[in-house]
């Protein structure tokens, strides 16, 4: 009989425990969790704070009692593993309620300690009005502060998934919100022009967005009465005041009532490091494709580990619930004699922000540039379903691919409707080894309420294939920023569009319907960089001009992409 001990629950540990029991009815399975909750929906925490998820209990997926009754698993909450003795194959465990310690043996050990919120070493960071959000107790503390102190203004530090979700939650509750982000954009997994759509959404929803700005210090804000309060009218309520003053890295400061730290997370590796397990180059626990650590009897999963990136094969840290769940299931099989392999991580993710969503899979352009990986890119802006059917909304899709093979390197999409569907399709295509040529041939569902006869994904594949096959040469916004004397920008939109949405300085305007009759106005000794609003009319103009002997490139994504790239916040 194999004795399996699992340290930590939630996505990785809990899924491993349940899978281990399904595989072996005879195995002894113990799960040790230092907190109160062994299996909960941490991705739902912001939505309970906002009130969109009404019941707190709906976040509790499993309890020690349900694990025991359904799976015959011994779950011990408030039991913290202090140390691992690999030679004796024993754990030193402290019962946090009684403060007693005891030894627990194992045949196979699974580490699922997760990751902890990053708290920068700045003055006042441990103030009682400064919160992180990683688990149920964190959520309860935030809710308690909201209920007891009724803050009017909140500051969220960090513009990742949790940060953006908390911004929305707090605005949903009616608070004024400031968002501090030290980088030049929120949502690091996407590129800045895509993030600019989020920036605009934040500003449109009344968020005080401060990019390139970090938190330098947290100070108590003394209560100051206004002159009107300084009277003998003791029945008059005091003027509103704030609880904190924040010093910022840009040397400014402002007052707030509540701070939510969402700077990011770091792998919990103390136990692994202290018992001598090998850590990876990024600071996570090193594992092989079978989730096995440097000790053959110890496995690790979830936010604490480094796994291979799907595109490059290099180690990466991906703190997402989906990969952790699959890793836990796989590790359980292997601890019981299986030979399953984890097939790398794409980092597929999505985030809701007010009425829009942004999603990505694979590598972004920043990563490709940093790693000197050759790539090409295209942009597509089209409707989420047939535009003549009510309720269609624009989707912006960015596709990154290998300029030689057409291999899919990454994709990003943003919009109000249908974003998840398109990135999911592209994530499957990438994992299946499809190329951009295959995207054009995908047979996807079509009816006017759901899509178009040529879906967003099909269209992206066709545009990318045109580029690789030489049927269209494209340029990008950066090319327009570095115009040479041998180039000319040609705007083929209608004149009314220039007035309504803007123009590119120095471009000459010849509307597409007039282009054929005005070819004599264009020089053949210069390269023409043509554009329209989203790229489609530019493609038509490209085909026409090339056949008339002009040297041409079409701006991918048109003026809409130009606006995205050049937006400033």
């Amino acid at each position: 009989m194999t004795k399996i001990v699992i340290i930590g629950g939630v996505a990785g540990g809990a899924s491993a425990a349940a899978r281990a029991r399904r595989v072996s009815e005879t195995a002894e399975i113990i799960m040790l969790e230092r907190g109160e909750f062994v299996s909960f929906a941490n991705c739902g925490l912001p939505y309970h704070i906002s009130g969109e998820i009404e019941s707190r209990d709906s976040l509790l997926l499993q309890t020690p009692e349900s694990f025991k009754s359904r799976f015959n698993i011994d779950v011990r909450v408030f039991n913290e593993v202090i140390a691992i003795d690999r030679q004796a194959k024993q754990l030193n465990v402290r019962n946090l309620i009684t403060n007693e310690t005891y030894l627990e043996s194992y045949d196979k050990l699974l580490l699922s300690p997760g990751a902890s919120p990053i708290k920068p070493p700045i003055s006042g960071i441990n103030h009682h009005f400064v919160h992180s959000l990683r688990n149920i107790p964190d959520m309860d503390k935030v809710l308690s502060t909201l209920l007891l102190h009724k803050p009017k203004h909140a500051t969220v530090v960090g513009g990742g998934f949790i940060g953006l979700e908390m911004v929305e939650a707090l605005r949903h509750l009616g608070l004024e919100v400031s968002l501090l982000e030290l980088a030049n954009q929120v949502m690091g997994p996407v590129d800045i022009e895509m993030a600019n759509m989020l920036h605009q959404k934040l500003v449109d929803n009344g968020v005080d967005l401060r990019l390139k700005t970090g938190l330098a210090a947290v100070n108590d804000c003394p209560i100051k009465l206004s002159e009107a309060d300084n009277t003998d009218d003791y029945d008059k309520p005091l003027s509103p005041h704030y609880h904190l003053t924040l010093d910022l890295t840009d040397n400014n400061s402002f007052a707030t009532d509540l701070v939510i730290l969402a700077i990011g997370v770091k792998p919990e590796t103390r136990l692994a490091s202290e018992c001598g397990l090998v850590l990876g180059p990024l600071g996570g626990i090193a594992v092989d494709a079978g989730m096995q650590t440097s000790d053959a009897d110890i496995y690790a999963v979830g936010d604490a580990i480094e796994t291979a990136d799907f595109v490059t094969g290099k180690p990466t840290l991906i703190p997402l619930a989906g990969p952790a769940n699959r890793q836990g299931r796989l590790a359980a099989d292997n601890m019981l004699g299986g030979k399953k392999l984890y097939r790398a991580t794409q980092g597929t993710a999505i985030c809701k922000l007010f009425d829009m969503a942004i999603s990505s899979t694979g590598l972004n352009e920043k990563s490709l540039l940093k790693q000197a990986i050759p790539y090409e890119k295209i942009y597509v802006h089209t409707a989420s379903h047939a535009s003549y059917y009510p309720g269609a909304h624009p989707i912006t899709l960015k596709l990154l691919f290998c300029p030689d093979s057409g291999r899919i390197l990454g994709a990003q999409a943003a919009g109000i409707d249908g974003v998840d569907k398109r990135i999911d399709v592209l994530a499957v295509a990438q994992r299946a080894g499809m190329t951009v040529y295959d995207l054009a041939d995908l047979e996807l569902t079509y009816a006017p309420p759901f899509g178009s006869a040529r879906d967003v994904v099909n269209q992206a594949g066709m545009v990318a294939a045109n580029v690789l096959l030489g049927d269209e040469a494209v340029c990008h916004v950066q090319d327009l920023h570095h115009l040479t004397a041998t180039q000319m920008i040609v705007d083929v939109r209608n004149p009314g569009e220039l007035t309504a949405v803007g123009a590119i300085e120095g471009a000459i305007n010849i509307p597409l319907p007039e282009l054929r009759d005005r070819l004599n106005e264009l020089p053949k000794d210069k390269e023409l960089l043509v554009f329209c609003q989203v790229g489609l009319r530019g493609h038509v103009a490209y085909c026409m001009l090339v056949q008339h002997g002009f040297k041409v490139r079409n701006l991918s994504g048109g003026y809409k992409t130009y606006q995205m790239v050049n937006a400033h916040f």
Side-chain angles (χ1 to χ4, degrees), residues 10 22 44 48 79 104 128 161 164 174 187 199 271 286 383 404 421 454 461 473 484 505 567:
V10 197
R22 292 195 297 271
H48 180 58
N79 276 248
E104 188 65 64
H128 57 278
F161 292 96
L164 292 178
M187 193 51 63
H199 299 155
L271 284 172
D404 297 323
K421 169 183 175 180
R454 184 172 65 187
T484 69
E505 184 178 355

Side-chain angles (χ1 to χ4, degrees), residues 303-317:
D303 297 355
I305 71 167
E306 295 182 11
T307 56
D309 177 82
F310 186 83
V311 175
T312 66
K314 296 179 180 178
T316 185
L317 294 168

Side-chain angles (χ1 to χ4, degrees), residues 221-514:
C221 185
I223 298 175
K224 295 182 179 179
L225 305 183
S226 70
E227 291 182 3
D229 295 320
N230 193 19
T231 69
D232 294 331
D233 186 1
Y234 295 107
D235 293 330
K236 179 180 174 59
L238 298 179
S239 296
H241 63 274
Y242 295 103
H243 298 117
L244 303 171
T245 299
L246 305 183
D247 295 336
L248 309 180
T249 55
D250 62 1
N251 296 320
N252 289 314
S253 63
F254 67 86
T256 190
D257 289 311
L258 168 69
V259 174
I260 303 293
L261 293 178
I263 299 172
V265 296
K266 57 183 179 181
E268 286 266 17
T269 59
R270 181 188 65 82
L271 284 172
S273 176
E274 289 180 356
C275 76
L277 295 179
V278 173
L279 302 184
L282 303 178
I285 302 171
V287 297
D288 63 14
M291 299 294 107
Q292 193 175 60
T293 69
S294 54
D295 186 314
D297 293 317
I298 302 179
Y299 294 72
V301 299
D303 297 355
I305 71 167
E306 295 182 11
T307 56
D309 177 82
F310 186 83
V311 175
T312 66
K314 296 179 180 178
T316 185
L317 294 168
I318 303 290
L320 294 172
N325 192 292
R326 297 193 300 275
Q327 292 160 7
R329 187 177 189 275
L330 184 150
D333 285 350
N334 291 345
M335 286 190 292
L336 292 165
K339 300 294 181 183
K340 302 288 182 65
L341 298 178
Y342 186 71
R343 296 174 56 196
T345 293
Q346 294 165 271
T348 307
I350 190 168
C351 181
K352 173 184 177 293
L353 182 64
F354 300 107
D355 64 348
M356 76 173 289
I358 191 159
S359 184
S360 63
T361 191
L363 294 183
N364 55 35
E365 188 173 1
K366 295 173 293 188
S367 298
L368 293 169
L369 286 169
K370 185 177 181 180
Q371 299 181 62
I373 298 173
Y375 69 94
E376 183 55 274
K377 63 180 178 180
I378 59 95
Y379 298 87
V380 171
H381 308 283
T382 190
S384 56
H385 62 248
S387 57
Y388 57 81
Y389 186 87
H393 296 283
I395 289 180
T396 291
L397 176 64
K398 178 179 184 178
L399 183 63
L400 298 150
F401 51 96
C402 177
D404 297 323
S405 66
R407 178 192 178 202
I408 300 167
L409 300 176
Q412 302 160 37
I416 292 176
D417 179 53
V419 169
D420 53 343
K421 169 183 175 180
R422 273 64 187 211
I423 289 297
D424 282 346
V425 169
L426 288 167
V428 172
Q430 183 185 49
R431 183 162 287 274
M434 293 182 177
T435 67
V436 298
Y437 303 108
D438 298 310
L439 298 181
D441 294 328
L442 290 180
E443 189 170 327
L444 305 174
T445 57
Y446 163 58
F450 304 104
S452 301
R454 184 172 65 187
D455 187 78
V456 181
V457 174
N458 296 134
Q459 188 169 332
M462 292 173 184
V463 173
N466 281 343
V467 172
L468 294 184
L469 294 171
D471 294 336
E472 180 181 43
V474 295
C475 63
H476 298 292
V477 175
Q478 292 79 4
D479 299 314
L480 274 59
H481 289 162
H482 301 91
L483 204 65
T484 69
T486 60
Q487 294 174 317
M488 175 183 286
I489 306 174
V490 181
D491 185 344
V492 298
R493 296 176 297 163
N494 297 323
E497 295 177 75
L498 280 65
T499 304
V501 299
I504 297 177
E505 184 178 355
I508 66 167
N509 177 227
I510 304 178
L512 182 62
E514 303 175 17

